[in-house]
Amino acid sequence: EECCAFLEKRLKELNEEKRRLVSYHQEQAVNCVLANVTYERLADHGPKLGPITRRHPLVTRYFTFPFNAATLEVEEEMMHQPDKACCFLAHNGWVMGDDPLRNFAEP
């Protein structure tokens, strides 16, 4: 029983650590979207894009690629095709406060 109690306690600790990490990432994601929208739509020093349209969506695309717009499912399929995947470019320009010299694709 003592071992089971220790295991249960440790699992709860580990789960809480991961919950805090996920919560932090979610908070950062929301903050990045809000900062991006504020800059692009409201800030005096921003482009003031105006209404949300297909040409000027609420948030900038995370991937740039030379293909026609498609559904998320089709785009995801293309990412798994080597001849097309090499054309997808991820960019972190919309992540406010990130270091542009850091390779954000590395772990």
Side-chain angles (χ1 to χ4, degrees), residues 29-41 43 94-96:
V30 169
N31 288 340
C32 288
V33 169
L34 291 175
N36 185 53
V37 170
T38 299
Y39 169 73
E40 289 189 342
R41 308 285 171 177
W94 65 274
V95 180
M96 303 301 167

Side-chain angles (χ1 to χ4, degrees), residues 8-101:
E8 180 182 13
K9 179 179 182 246
R10 185 65 183 132
L11 288 173
K12 286 180 179 180
E13 290 170 356
L14 291 170
N15 281 333
E16 180 58 24
E17 286 176 25
K18 293 300 179 185
R19 188 203 62 74
R20 281 194 306 268
L21 181 62
V22 168
S23 179
Y24 170 77
H25 287 299
Q26 289 172 331
E27 183 178 334
Q28 291 300 105
V30 169
N31 288 340
C32 288
V33 169
L34 291 175
N36 185 53
V37 170
T38 299
Y39 169 73
E40 289 189 342
R41 308 285 171 177
L42 305 172
D44 290 334
H45 63 285
K48 297 204 179 225
L49 296 178
I52 297 164
T53 63
R54 182 175 285 282
R55 179 171 163 79
H56 297 292
L58 183 61
V59 293
T60 308
R61 293 181 65 98
Y62 187 77
F63 290 99
T64 299
F65 50 88
F67 309 113
N68 291 331
T71 64
L72 179 61
E73 292 78 17
V74 170
E75 291 175 2
E76 188 174 359
E77 280 180 29
M78 288 192 293
M79 288 183 184
H80 294 286
Q81 299 170 16
D83 62 319
K84 293 192 170 81
C86 63
C87 297
F88 281 80
L89 302 173
H91 52 89
N92 69 341
W94 65 274
V95 180
M96 303 301 167
D98 194 23
D99 178 359
L101 301 178

